[in-house]
Amino acid sequence: MSAAFQADLQSDLQADLRSDLQADLRSDLRSDLRSDLRSDLQSDLQADLRSDLRSDLRSDLDRIADRVGAVPDPELPMISLADLGVIRAVREGADGDVEVVVTPTYLGCPALSAIEADLRTVLAECGHPYGRVTWALAPAWTTDWISEAGRRKLADHGIVPPGDAGAPLPVRLGLGRPCPHCGSVATRPLGPFGQTGCQTILVCTACKESFPHMKAV
């Protein structure tokens, strides 16, 4: 075999080897590029999905909060739970389920079980049958949390709304609260309890009529 022939053969082999290596390299690069693009695309899609889910959840929570807040109080059906000030939060729980946080007016309130049942019904109607109601005892509920709309509704139904919870005891008990019948402030407590545990009965010394008053706490 001549030296020239060997040189040509070696050159051809090197060229073939170089071509094969380049082809393998291009294939590896394409594979790596596809993998990187797939990973980036997957990451972007996951971020978009999480963003969409968060947006949907916020919208859903707002809708649920409106429905939950509109539930009437079982003992004072003229006002909603939102007006009463007992709904503290509607949020996503740590496990992903919707959680409604409620502060009871007082622990012995007989309406608590009815409130929880009504709220669970609303959660189920909103597509969250596994949503839960959580009772928050601190900070304690105060009549100062009743909305102005709630106070007007109480007054419209003949129940004198509570005064300032920080007022002196006689005022909180209803002394001097305006009579819904004649407007006189010559009123005083008549009985410690009304139709519900959160009410007292006042009497007007001017017109002699009695009327319910929501205690300030």
Side-chain angles (χ1 to χ4, degrees), residues 45-59:
L45 289 174
Q46 288 176 339
D48 290 343
L49 179 59
R50 284 194 295 267
S51 178
D52 290 343
L53 289 173
R54 283 194 295 268
S55 178
D56 290 344
L57 180 59
R58 284 193 296 270
S59 177

Side-chain angles (χ1 to χ4, degrees), residues 142-144 161-167 171-174 198 213-217:
T142 168
T143 47
D144 288 344
D164 187 349
V171 176
R172 284 187 281 129
L173 292 177
C198 62
H213 164 250
M214 192 167 185
K215 295 181 285 189
V217 295

